[in-house]
């Protein structure tokens, strides 16, 4: 944000994520203290590794179910690494992607076909 309250586009922005980047989130996937971008689109999750000054380098792409539409991140298995969950609209599934090691790669461990699930508050 500039002193006048506006924004300045980052160098090389917009970044090419390939087919249909529907949803993006940020997290430090490789634990280098710099935020990375994770985008859902097509049938995959794509990572852009943050350089810390607004620039990004292409990272890994991980296949998911068809029509990856939304995603979120959390440490699902308590190992201290960022995991990603995607909602796949065309296949009607949810993919669970667990973070691996200290690199930014994530591996698909499950694709779940959701059944009637209700959350109550």
């Amino acid at each position: 944000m500039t002193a006048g309250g506006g924004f300045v586009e980052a160098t090389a922005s917009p970044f090419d994520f390939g087919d249909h980047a529907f949803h993006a989130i940020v997290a430090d996937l490789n634990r280098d203290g710099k935020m990375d971008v994770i985008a859902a689109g097509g049938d995959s999750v794509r990572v852009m590794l943050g350089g810390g000054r607004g620039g990004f380098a292409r990272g890994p792409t991980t296949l998911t179910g068809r029509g990856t539409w939304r995603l979120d991140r959390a440490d699902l298995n308590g190992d201290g690494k960022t995991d990603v969950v995607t909602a796949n609209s065309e296949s009607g599934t949810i993919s669970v992607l667990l973070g691996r090691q200290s690199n930014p790669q994530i591996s698909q461990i499950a694709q779940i076909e959701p059944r009637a699930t209700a959350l109550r508050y």
Side-chain angles (χ1 to χ4, degrees):
M1 196 146 114
T2 64
F7 292 92
V8 175
E9 192 166 36
T11 304
S13 179
F15 301 97
D16 182 15
F17 274 92
D19 293 337
H20 308 91
F22 290 114
H23 187 228
I25 58 175
V26 295
D28 182 9
L29 289 178
N30 56 355
R31 300 186 195 174
D32 64 356
K34 300 169 187 154
M35 298 306 283
D36 309 309
V37 175
I38 310 143
D43 300 337
S44 63
V45 168
R46 295 170 187 89
V47 174
M48 295 291 281
L49 300 172
R53 301 182 142 242
F56 293 87
R58 184 172 296 279
T61 297
T62 303
L63 293 177
T64 59
R66 288 187 343 257
T68 303
W69 183 254
R70 300 283 294 179
L71 70 160
D72 205 350
R73 60 162 170 67
D75 180 5
L76 298 173
N77 57 356
D79 66 356
K81 298 173 189 121
T82 301
D83 307 315
V84 176
V85 177
T86 69
N88 312 310
S89 63
E90 291 177 26
S91 60
T93 60
I94 295 170
S95 296
V96 177
L97 309 170
L98 294 181
R100 297 188 309 189
Q101 305 297 332
S102 60
N103 64 34
Q105 298 209 357
I106 46 182
S107 60
Q108 182 171 352
I109 60 140
Q111 196 170 81
I112 304 159
E113 183 175 331
R115 301 285 181 207
T117 304
L119 298 175
R120 297 185 189 253
Y121 295 93

